């Protein structure tokens, strides 16, 4: 059973370009979470999605960032017009459900975005 | 809001030394508590968890006890190995949290020297 897959593992963009980060959850998982880790900091929640629905985007910057989890295919985190402050590691996690005490989140290896 | 505070690192120990990494939290209700480990260049792996007061999570020689009276979940290991060198994150998930997201501490880097 493959784990959470993210690609690319490393992404370099120039200021003003777009970054697209992909996440394929574990088989059987219908819940996806995106977190951002700035250098030398902990992970900060960005967005929580289920298939075709955004459940909670309270941690997502209001501008330039968007996320989707279509019926078919991976979840996509999209950053438009990237700036140097977007340089970070972006982690995706997936779980089976949000039932209390269960629904353990399994993390992918992350995408390290560098904005030049 | 929910928050997690961990002791700052790096923590440098010799092999076979005793490890404690402190973690305290602030949350409404009764959160579930977790320790995750991140090896260099990798994602986070769940190390252990506890879902109610006085529960002890344990895995690979690591232990942590959910102490509601002190709102703590300190990570301990009796004898560390070089292979334990990594960054350790304490996290919580609040039952009042409709989004089910995890709230992380800032991480503690552990370096074990042979």
């Amino acid at each position: 059973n493959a784990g959470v897959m993210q690609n690319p593992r490393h992404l370099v963009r120039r200021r003003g370009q777009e970054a697209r980060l992909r996440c394929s959850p574990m088989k059987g998982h219908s819940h996806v979470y995106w977190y951002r880790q700035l250098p030398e900091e902990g992970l900060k929640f960005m967005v929580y999605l289920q298939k075709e629905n955004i459940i909670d985007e309270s941690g997502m910057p209001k501008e330039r960032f968007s996320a989707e989890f279509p019926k078919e295919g991976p979840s996509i985190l999209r950053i438009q017009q990237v700036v140097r402050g977007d340089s970070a590691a972006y982690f995706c996690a997936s779980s089976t459900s949000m039932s209390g005490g269960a629904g353990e989140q399994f993390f992918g290896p992350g995408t390290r975005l560098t904005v030049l | 809001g929910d928050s997690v505070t961990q002791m700052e690192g790096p923590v440098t120990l010799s092999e076979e030394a005793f490890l404690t990494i402190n973690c305290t939290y602030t949350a409404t209700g009764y959160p579930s508590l977790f320790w995750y480990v991140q090896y260099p260049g990798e994602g986070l792996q769940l190390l252990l968890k506890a879902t109610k007061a006085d529960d002890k999570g344990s895995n690979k020689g690591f232990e942590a006890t959910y102490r509601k009276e002190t709102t703590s979940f300190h990570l301990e290991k009796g004898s560390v190995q070089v292979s334990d060198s990594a960054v350790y994150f304490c996290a919580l998930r609040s039952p009042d949290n409709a989004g089910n997201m995890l709230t992380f501490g800032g991480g503690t880097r552990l370096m074990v020297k042979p």
Side-chain angles (χ1 to χ4, degrees):
Chain A
N1 187 13
V4 178
M5 299 177 67
Q6 290 187 249
N7 67 81
R9 293 292 304 275
H10 300 274
L11 182 62
V12 179
R13 285 288 179 265
R14 296 190 180 279
R15 281 179 297 169
Q17 292 184 319
E18 179 180 286
R20 280 183 180 243
L21 288 63
R22 294 175 183 77
C23 169
S24 296
M26 286 181 68
K27 186 177 181 180
H29 287 192
S30 58
H31 299 245
V32 166
Y33 312 80
W34 286 94
Y35 294 84
R36 176 165 63 176
Q37 183 182 30
L38 295 171
E40 303 302 319
E41 294 188 12
L43 280 73
K44 296 290 194 295
F45 167 78
M46 299 182 74
V47 61
Y48 163 44
L49 310 101
Q50 295 180 29
K51 286 284 186 181
E52 301 184 279
N53 285 304
I54 296 175
I55 307 302
D56 185 338
E57 56 182 348
S58 59
M60 192 99 94
K62 294 290 185 281
E63 297 179 352
R64 302 188 298 108
F65 285 72
S66 62
E68 62 177 11
F69 189 17
K71 186 176 181 180
E72 301 292 337
S75 175
I76 306 289
L77 178 67
R78 182 182 178 203
I79 311 173
Q80 295 179 290
Q81 301 172 356
V82 296
V83 301
R84 288 213 174 110
D86 296 333
S87 295
Y90 292 82
F91 290 96
C92 170
S94 71
S95 71
T96 54
S97 72
M98 57 181 289
S99 57
E104 175 188 334
Q105 294 181 26
F106 292 83
F107 282 79
T111 293
R112 281 158 180 77
L113 172 65
T114 301
V115 179
L116 302 178
Chain B
D2 297 343
S3 67
V4 177
T5 303
Q6 294 181 233
M7 60 188 293
E8 290 191 17
V11 174
T12 303
L13 296 173
S14 296
E15 208 165 19
E16 299 184 3
F18 184 86
L19 168 71
T20 299
I21 300 178
N22 291 339
C23 170
T24 56
Y25 66 89
T26 302
T28 55
Y30 296 84
S32 296
L33 302 173
F34 305 84
W35 277 101
Y36 281 84
V37 58
Q38 184 181 32
Y39 297 102
E42 299 184 11
L44 277 70
Q45 301 174 27
L46 179 65
L47 182 60
L48 54 83
K49 66 179 180 182
T51 57
K52 60 182 186 296
D54 299 325
D55 267 2
K56 177 185 284 188
S58 61
N59 185 26
K60 300 180 181 178
F62 291 89
E63 293 183 341
T65 300
Y66 189 141
R67 301 285 188 202
K68 184 156 181 65
E69 63 276 13
T70 55
T71 61
S72 64
F73 193 54
H74 304 321
L75 182 68
E76 297 182 335
K77 186 176 186 182
S79 176
V80 294
Q81 306 300 312
V82 173
S83 58
D84 294 326
S85 298
V87 180
Y88 292 81
F89 292 95
C90 186
L92 70 79
R93 185 177 66 225
S94 173
D96 297 333
N97 176 352
N100 205 36
M101 76 285 281
L102 293 166
T103 300
F104 286 89
T108 303
R109 183 177 300 277
L110 170 65
M111 297 191 297
V112 180
K113 298 184 176 181

